[in-house]
Amino acid sequence: MNYRHSYHAGNFADVLKHAVLARIIAYLKRKDPAFRVIDTHAGIGIYDLSSTEAQKTGEWRDGVGRVISAKLSPELREFLAPWLEAVATLNPDGGIRTYPGSPKLTRMLLRKQDRLTAIELHADDARQLRRVFEGDYQVRVIELDGWLALGGHLPPKEKRGLVLVDPPFEVDGEYDRMIDGLARATRRFPGGSYMLWHPIKADSPLAGFDKKLIALGRPRTLTVRMLTRDNMTAPGLNGSGLVIINPPFTLEAELKVALPELARLLSQSPGGTGAGSEVRILVGEA
Ligand code: SAM
């Protein structure tokens, strides 16, 4: 396990993932009953963007850094609001120095009846995460293989909630592990919402992944992709995607409005060539 999210926190992929995560949680809060968020690959929770790691790559500058200094359309501002408000709360003096990872962002959005289970396998990261939530009775931090949580931890006792699966993709077979994990998890907790992150690189097996998701056939499966540059020629991370099962009913339409502008804003090529987005239903209503 070499992957360290501190090098990448706040980059363009985090912007998409965290903005959508915050919107899904905002939607869950529209109903009174408690819900639980299960974050299977949680990271360390809070990232210092002035750290050696973050400064070394500077990825956040072309992610959250661009968003907070841009003039956004009212539609995009509204879409990003739950995430941007949390980011602003952590940076009360303005600008951006402290960035909330998925468990911290989630925690900032919970009501007192809601709960978070944050799972992290890397021992040092799990220790840091535990420190972030020390004494917080609404959060349980577990040092565990997150893929196991897609079995034993489901359904949560609240019977409502979201499962976030955000693995580092540093070993082969993560796409298939996602399909297997989803198959198990959705059998145990069919009413839950799921959000799974994946990278987009020139050699990512996306067509095969889509086929397997369609074959899995879970009702209301949405795929969301954002490219920040041409995916055919550039090496490295050219974009990122989310698979969302049981999304909020308004999310597809909101994403179709917000993502083209977000992709232009986060573009990494001259003139925005190759940047773009896609929002597509893979499996419809039951
Ligand atoms: N979800 C975090 C966020 O958005 O702020 C970022 C997570 S980062 C992409 C992936 C994390 O998964 C790393 O912290 C890594 O140590 C952890 N990890 C790797 N393999 C794991 C496994 N099998 N189970 C749980 N965590 C794992």
Side-chain angles (χ1 to χ4, degrees), residues 38-252:
I38 299 178
D39 189 341
T40 62
H41 296 70
I44 61 172
I46 298 182
Y47 297 89
D48 175 1
L49 299 183
S50 67
S51 70
T52 313
E53 293 89 338
Q55 289 295 332
K56 190 168 175 189
T57 64
E59 287 184 17
W60 63 271
R61 293 178 197 282
D62 292 325
V64 62
R66 280 199 205 172
V67 177
I68 61 163
S69 49
K71 187 166 167 24
L72 308 175
S73 71
E75 293 77 16
L76 183 56
R77 181 160 293 286
E78 161 76 18
F79 179 77
L80 298 177
W83 167 66
L84 279 179
E85 281 162 19
V87 171
T89 302
L90 271 192
N91 294 276
D93 299 330
I96 175 86
R97 184 187 161 127
T98 307
Y99 185 74
S102 54
K104 179 65 181 174
L105 173 65
T106 297
R107 177 63 187 98
M108 293 176 82
L109 297 170
L110 297 185
R111 306 162 300 180
K112 66 178 186 319
Q113 65 266 44
D114 307 320
R115 297 291 182 269
L116 165 65
T117 301
I119 296 165
E120 169 59 51
L121 186 58
H122 194 286
D124 291 342
D125 288 6
R127 203 172 308 121
Q128 285 193 58
L129 192 58
R130 211 166 267 135
R131 225 175 290 138
V132 169
F133 295 117
E134 192 124 54
D136 187 336
Y137 71 93
Q138 288 182 249
V139 183
R140 200 169 155 220
V141 175
I142 310 176
E143 186 181 327
L144 179 73
D145 182 345
W147 297 110
L148 298 177
L150 297 178
H153 285 72
L154 297 176
K157 76 169 189 302
E158 293 79 8
K159 300 283 194 291
R160 287 186 78 211
L162 169 70
V163 180
L164 169 64
V165 183
D166 182 22
F169 280 82
E170 62 180 351
V171 290
D172 286 344
E174 296 285 65
Y175 288 94
D176 284 341
R177 217 161 281 132
M178 279 192 161
I179 300 285
D180 293 346
L182 258 184
R184 275 185 293 132
T186 49
R187 260 197 305 273
R188 296 178 70 107
F189 183 33
S193 294
Y194 295 83
M195 184 169 107
L196 297 89
W197 182 90
H198 67 80
I200 301 182
K201 298 181 176 180
D203 60 355
S204 298
L206 298 183
F209 186 50
D210 287 350
K211 269 194 196 144
K212 289 174 188 170
L213 284 164
I214 292 168
L216 186 63
R218 295 302 187 252
R220 309 191 63 239
T221 300
L222 184 70
T223 181
V224 178
R225 288 178 184 157
M226 187 177 78
L227 281 176
T228 51
R229 61 188 183 202
D230 185 353
N231 192 36
M232 300 317 285
T233 49
L237 189 67
N238 300 321
S240 68
L242 302 170
V243 173
I244 307 172
I245 294 185
N246 287 328
F249 281 95
T250 50
L251 189 67
E252 181 196 354

